[in-house]
């Protein structure tokens, strides 16, 4: 799904998985999923499909962690858990020089 959603072709590797539940505050419906977490390295900017992805941003890992902790509502309910899985694998973070 990465090529369809982000417009890039990238080799991915699995770093974890988790189960989460979230209740939609509007409908009261509960979403429960088993999510797999994959990482990969890019040397090009993604071109996201606007029907799938609202925004993308390159973020410093420590800055991202702080933002998730201080503004959790700005992220999907499962993002914090996915970030935890990535943080368990320090080699998952690869910085491309600007």
């Amino acid at each position: 799904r990465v090529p369809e959603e982000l417009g890039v072709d990238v080799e991915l590797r699995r770093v974890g998985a988790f189960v989460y539940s979230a209740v939609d505050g509007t409908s009261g419906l509960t979403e429960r999923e088993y999510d797999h977490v994959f990482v990969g390295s890019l040397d090009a900017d993604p071109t996201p499909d606007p029907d799938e992805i609202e925004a993308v941003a390159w973020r410093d890992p420590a800055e991202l962690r702080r933002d998730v902790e201080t503004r959790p509502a700005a992220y999907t309910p499962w993002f914090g858990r996915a970030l935890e899985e990535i943080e368990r694998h320090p080699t998952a973070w690869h910085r491309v020089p600007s």
Side-chain angles (χ1 to χ4, degrees):
R1 301 228 14 159
V2 173
E4 294 87 9
E5 293 184 7
L6 286 172
V8 293
D9 189 25
V10 61
E11 186 174 324
L12 299 175
R13 68 183 171 89
R14 187 176 183 274
V15 294
F18 62 93
V19 175
Y20 87 96
S21 293
V23 178
D24 181 315
T26 304
S27 69
L29 296 174
T30 299
E31 177 177 73
R32 182 170 173 81
E33 292 186 358
Y34 183 83
D35 287 358
H36 300 268
V37 181
F38 294 86
V39 297
S41 295
L42 290 176
D43 58 6
D45 288 331
T47 53
D49 178 344
D51 291 332
E52 295 287 340
I53 297 174
E54 184 176 323
V56 296
W58 298 108
R59 303 288 297 274
D60 175 79
E63 177 187 318
L64 179 58
R65 167 51 62 202
R66 282 191 302 276
D67 198 44
V68 168
E69 289 173 356
T70 58
R71 298 180 332 117
Y75 298 88
T76 61
W78 50 262
F79 187 78
R81 283 288 288 119
L83 184 56
E84 289 172 12
E85 292 298 322
I86 294 168
E87 289 171 335
R88 292 188 219 295
H89 298 273
T91 60
W93 296 108
H94 174 70
R95 296 186 77 146
V96 176
S98 304

